[in-house]
Amino acid sequence: MSTAAAPVERGSGGGVLDRIGQYGDVMVAGLIIGIVVMMIIPMPKALLDVLLVANISMALSVVLATIYTTEPLQFSIFPSLLLMATLFRLALNISSTRLILLHGDAGAVIHSFGQFVIGGNIVVGIIVFVILIVIQFVVITNGAGRVAEVAARFTLDAMPGKQMAIDADLNAGVITDEEARARRQSVSKEADFYGAMDGASKFVKGDAIAAVLIVAINLVGGIAVGMLQQGYSIGDAVQHYSLLTVGEGLVNQIPALLISTATGIIVTRAAGESDLGRDLTAQLTAQPRALMITGGVVALLGLIPGLPPLPFLMMGGGVLGGGLMLRNRRRQASAAAVAEEANALAAAPSEPENVAALLPLDTLELEIGYGLIPLVDKEEGGDLLGRVAMVRRQTATELGLSLAPIRIRDNIQLGSHEYAVKIKGVEVARWMLMPGQILAMNPGMADTHLDGVPTHEPAFGLPAVWIGEAQREQAEIAGYTVVDATSLLVTHLSEVIRNHADELLGRQDTRVLLDTVRERNATAVDELVPDLMSVGEVQRVLQHLLAEGVSIRDLVTVLETLGDKAKLTKDVAILAEYCRQALSRVICGRYVDEGGTLRAITIDPEIDREVAESVARTEDGSVVAMDPARASHIIDAISQQVDAAQAIGAPPVVLTSGATRRHVKSMTIHAIPNLTVLSYHEILPTVRVEPVGMVRVD
């Protein structure tokens, strides 16, 4: 059997439509040129009749197209179509006016509207025309214009939140780059559409005004031409030209009314899953009780003396009966749904509820108040998303930690200019920015007072003050460090990541790091995992290093050290100390000045020996079992030396022996969290140590 696909034959209709689509641009250009020509060159009456009928047909098709549109962007060409329809209708007005004034005859269509539609009665025709103008201009056009204006404003205001939601979903991996690009284009097109509709609605209003003026000109000019040039009496001139003028006004005003109605439908149409007719039917019949009450009230009105009972009773009975039918059908459907659900539960009574989708937590989240949304919106100059991406790159460069995408979302429970950082769903930091203000931080050298709101910088606790943008230059001259809101938020986020880096490293992240190293140095990984250490044990060693701010970017050195020392001990804390010694160049280099000198605080050997002797072995590792009062005295002594060192500009670094380094750090982690504790094994031979104090306790 042959598997070759037979060519698909297209019908003649499809081929014609395809050919029309290929030359659509030429047709539109020709149509616009033809409309302009209609305004200049006189038109035969037969052709004018055809174009007037085409105008009515086009207006009717536009109304039906808007009814069957499920969302406005499906008819995004409507603003341009509205302009073309208005221009076409004005060209027809000019052509018909020319024929009325020159020949006293504008074709069969206008004559029929003047004779048949209004029965040849001038007064009735003028009244009907005025009513149509009032309906179009006062009711539909004004309402549609107002709705378009409000929709455009709200759509533009909602754009930052929508863009942020798209970027947040993209960062979280919920959508792909292509889907995010498509959603951004949809948001942009929606804003452009409502903005265009806000302006296009003015075409409809201008068209209504032009129709009134054209009818008045035709009426006055026709009577004058009939009396002065055609030799009509005043009565005949009024009768003849008034009927033509009113007929011309009606034949052009009916399509204008249809186009105005289409404008109102398209701007008031919210996105739905079905067309307007189905939505209207479904939603009007969604409340059977309302229909029943309505039918009862209308039927009671028919019983009031003086009112015709037949129409009220017929309509009230019909609405009441329809409401009863809908209510019975709804009850039957509800009973069937309950029975079906009961049968399903009976068939699978022990099936557990699927809540797995609710369990995952984002590793790192940044929640912002609605007042900070402009920091995310690129169109308003916000660059927070790009700066957060730079934070991830900076973390990878400085700490060797590959962060998962940081989810950014708005939270209405926060203050308008407040933000919060969460790790695995738990808030770890929160701060509030001052709207329209910048932060001036005093590094300790500025003595000029600034007028503003005193505060403290959130990342490092430095004294600061909120000032206006106009005071920036004054603050910089006075020696203050001035930062904007985005820089402040990003700096705080970076410091939170650095302080909680060990919590951000999961077991799967460790596996990814090992796989990355394996691609270029398979020996270092295969020699260690899984024979000597598991992935979890490697993770715990890396967490020990990250907890004290040690970069694990040189992961090959860490793995090679673990491969050598894991044969001697399984204590991850001790293995982490071995890794610190292997990374001594990286650790020590952070605190050595340009002259190769390390200014540090030393510890009295007696205290060092006392700490070493108080170490006790437990199932969870080694801990310091020292008298609490004695430990408190030692911590106070270290704190005093640290304050004295910082007063002379030295870094808060304490030197201890290799055996007690991690225990001194564990003793001071809560009282002096920013203290750096180094061992003598981590000092390079080329580094000269300059003691700036010694910790002693009497």
Side-chain angles (χ1 to χ4, degrees):
M1 180 182 294
S2 174
T3 58
V8 178
E9 296 183 359
R10 294 186 177 182
S12 59
V16 172
L17 291 177
D18 291 341
R19 287 192 293 272
I20 292 176
Q22 293 176 359
Y23 299 101
D25 54 340
V26 178
M27 295 179 61
V28 172
L31 178 62
I32 295 176
I33 295 174
I35 291 174
V36 176
V37 171
M38 287 170 56
M39 299 180 180
I40 303 173
I41 300 177
M43 184 183 302
K45 291 181 288 184
L47 180 58
L48 179 62
D49 289 341
V50 174
L51 294 179
L52 288 173
V53 175
N55 186 29
I56 297 174
S57 302
M58 181 190 66
L60 187 59
S61 64
V62 170
V63 172
L64 295 178
T66 57
I67 291 176
Y68 285 100
T69 298
T70 58
E71 59 181 19
L73 286 183
Q74 291 181 352
F75 206 176
S76 59
I77 196 62
F78 186 81
S80 301
L81 180 62
L82 186 61
L83 173 60
M84 295 177 59
T86 303
L87 186 63
F88 180 52
R89 193 161 51 254
L90 292 175
L92 291 176
N93 280 329
I94 294 174
S95 298
S96 58
T97 298
R98 184 186 293 113
L99 290 176
I100 291 174
L101 297 181
L102 286 177
H103 306 292
D105 186 6
V109 174
I110 292 178
H111 183 268
S112 298
F113 269 80
Q115 290 291 336
F116 179 73
V117 176
I118 61 176
N121 193 316
I122 302 172
V123 177
V124 174
I126 293 177
I127 292 175
V128 172
F129 176 77
V130 171
I131 291 174
L132 289 177
I133 289 293
V134 170
I135 293 173
Q136 179 188 353
F137 184 73
V138 178
V139 181
I140 300 178
T141 303
N142 279 346
R146 179 57 179 166
V147 172
E149 179 183 355
V150 173
R153 184 183 307 166
F154 283 4
T155 302
L156 291 175
D157 291 343
M159 279 190 67
K162 293 180 179 179
Q163 295 284 5
M164 188 181 69
I166 295 172
D167 293 330
D169 289 343
L170 178 61
N171 290 335
V174 177
I175 59 177
T176 62
D177 291 338
E178 291 75 13
E179 292 173 335
R181 192 177 300 110
R183 287 173 59 178
R184 290 193 188 98
Q185 291 177 354
S186 177
V187 171
S188 177
K189 288 180 180 179
E190 185 179 6
D192 294 340
F193 173 79
Y194 282 110
M197 284 302 304
D198 185 21
S201 61
K202 306 300 186 296
F203 299 149
V204 181
K205 181 182 293 186
D207 180 51
I209 298 174
V212 176
L213 296 177
I214 290 173
V215 168
I217 292 172
N218 286 346
L219 187 60
V220 176
I223 294 174
V225 169
M227 293 175 58
L228 300 178
Q229 296 183 3
Q230 303 295 335
Y232 289 144
S233 64
I234 184 171
D236 293 339
V238 170
Q239 176 70 21
H240 182 72
Y241 284 98
S242 296
L243 288 177
L244 289 177
T245 299
V246 172
E248 187 271 341
L250 290 176
V251 79
N252 283 295
Q253 202 56 37
I254 290 175
L257 181 62
L258 293 175
I259 294 293
S260 300
T261 304
T263 303
I265 292 175
I266 199 71
V267 298
T268 57
R269 182 79 173 110
E273 297 181 356
S274 58
D275 55 67
L276 177 61
R278 295 182 181 179
D279 285 347
L280 186 64
T281 304
Q283 294 178 23
L284 281 180
T285 59
Q287 300 294 335
R289 181 175 297 179
L291 294 178
M292 294 166 58
I293 295 175
T294 301
V297 172
V298 173
L300 289 176
L301 291 176
L303 301 178
I304 297 177
L307 293 178
L310 184 60
F312 283 96
L313 292 176
M314 289 179 58
M315 182 57 64
V319 175
L320 180 60
L324 289 172
M325 292 176 58
L326 288 173
R327 186 189 65 176
N328 295 335
R329 185 178 301 175
R330 179 99 20 116
R331 288 179 176 177
Q332 293 174 0
S334 177
V338 171
E340 183 178 355
E341 183 178 357
N343 292 334
L345 292 176
S350 60
E351 183 179 354
E353 182 182 0
N354 184 15
V355 295
L358 305 176
L359 298 180
L361 290 173
D362 294 309
T363 303
L364 190 60
E365 296 177 81
L366 174 61
E367 295 184 344
I368 62 177
Y370 66 88
L372 300 182
I373 290 179
L375 299 182
V376 183
D377 184 14
K378 296 180 181 179
E379 295 187 359
E380 296 190 21
D383 59 347
L384 181 59
L385 291 176
R387 300 281 287 275
V388 169
M390 291 178 60
V391 168
R392 294 181 62 201
R393 290 194 291 268
Q394 180 182 357
T395 303
T397 302
E398 294 182 356
L399 296 178
L401 181 62
S402 178
L403 288 177
I406 302 174
R407 179 185 289 271
I408 303 177
R409 67 176 75 189
D410 57 339
N411 187 348
I412 59 175
Q413 296 180 351
L414 295 175
S416 62
H417 286 75
E418 198 172 25
Y419 66 87
V421 182
K422 290 184 176 181
I423 294 179
K424 298 178 182 178
V426 179
E427 183 178 311
V428 295
R430 178 185 291 214
W431 214 60
M432 179 179 291
L433 303 175
M434 291 287 288
Q437 302 287 304
I438 56 179
L439 191 70
M441 295 178 292
N442 188 350
M445 301 175 293
D447 54 2
T448 303
H449 176 71
L450 294 177
D451 294 331
V453 180
T455 184
H456 284 82
E457 190 270 339
F460 306 102
L462 299 175
V465 59
W466 289 109
I467 60 174
E469 184 66 35
Q471 298 176 268
R472 176 188 287 270
E473 184 176 356
Q474 175 189 354
E476 291 176 345
I477 294 175
Y480 284 85
T481 302
V482 182
V483 294
D484 57 77
T486 304
S487 300
L488 188 64
L489 191 156
V490 170
T491 302
H492 192 189
L493 177 63
S494 301
E495 192 62 20
V496 170
I497 293 174
R498 188 174 291 108
N499 293 336
H500 298 82
D502 56 320
E503 301 177 44
L504 300 175
L505 180 67
R507 197 153 296 185
Q508 181 62 33
D509 302 321
T510 306
R511 168 61 70 184
V512 172
L513 291 176
L514 293 176
D515 291 341
T516 303
V517 174
R518 182 180 280 111
E519 294 177 359
R520 50 190 173 84
N521 196 333
T523 303
V525 179
D526 296 338
E527 187 183 58
L528 178 65
V529 180
D531 296 336
L532 297 178
M533 296 182 68
S534 65
V535 175
E537 291 171 331
V538 175
Q539 174 203 5
R540 291 170 59 194
V541 172
L542 298 180
Q543 286 178 328
H544 273 76
L545 298 174
L546 290 172
E548 296 193 46
V550 178
S551 173
I552 59 172
R553 189 178 181 186
D554 188 5
L555 191 56
V556 174
T557 299
V558 173
L559 296 179
E560 290 176 348
T561 303
L562 293 177
D564 294 336
K565 302 301 182 181
K567 303 173 184 177
L568 305 177
T569 179
K570 296 297 182 181
D571 191 327
V572 293
I574 297 177
L575 291 174
E577 293 299 311
Y578 284 130
C579 293
R580 288 179 61 93
Q581 295 174 20
L583 297 173
S584 58
R585 189 178 303 277
V586 176
I587 297 174
C588 185
R590 297 170 55 187
Y591 308 103
V592 175
D593 60 18
E594 296 178 356
T597 301
L598 173 64
R599 305 173 69 189
I601 302 167
T602 59
I603 290 185
D604 188 353
E606 289 297 326
I607 296 179
D608 194 82
R609 179 184 58 80
E610 185 178 355
V611 173
E613 291 177 351
S614 65
V615 174
R617 303 285 180 178
T618 66
E619 295 180 355
D620 296 327
S622 302
V623 296
V624 177
M626 183 181 292
D627 178 68
R630 181 63 175 172
S632 178
H633 292 159
I634 295 175
I635 294 172
D636 290 341
I638 295 176
S639 179
Q640 293 174 6
Q641 292 297 326
V642 168
D643 293 340
Q646 290 180 327
I648 61 175
V653 177
V654 172
L655 276 179
T656 69
S657 65
T660 61
R661 192 214 68 83
R662 60 191 174 99
H663 301 299
V664 172
K665 178 62 180 177
S666 66
M667 291 173 60
T668 59
I669 186 66
H670 298 293
I672 320 174
N674 295 326
L675 177 65
T676 300
V677 182
L678 302 179
S679 72
Y680 290 102
H681 298 93
E682 298 167 0
I683 307 302
L684 296 175
T686 57
V687 174
R688 184 174 65 89
V689 178
E690 177 183 334
V692 295
M694 177 176 285
V695 178
R696 292 188 177 92
V697 179
D698 295 335

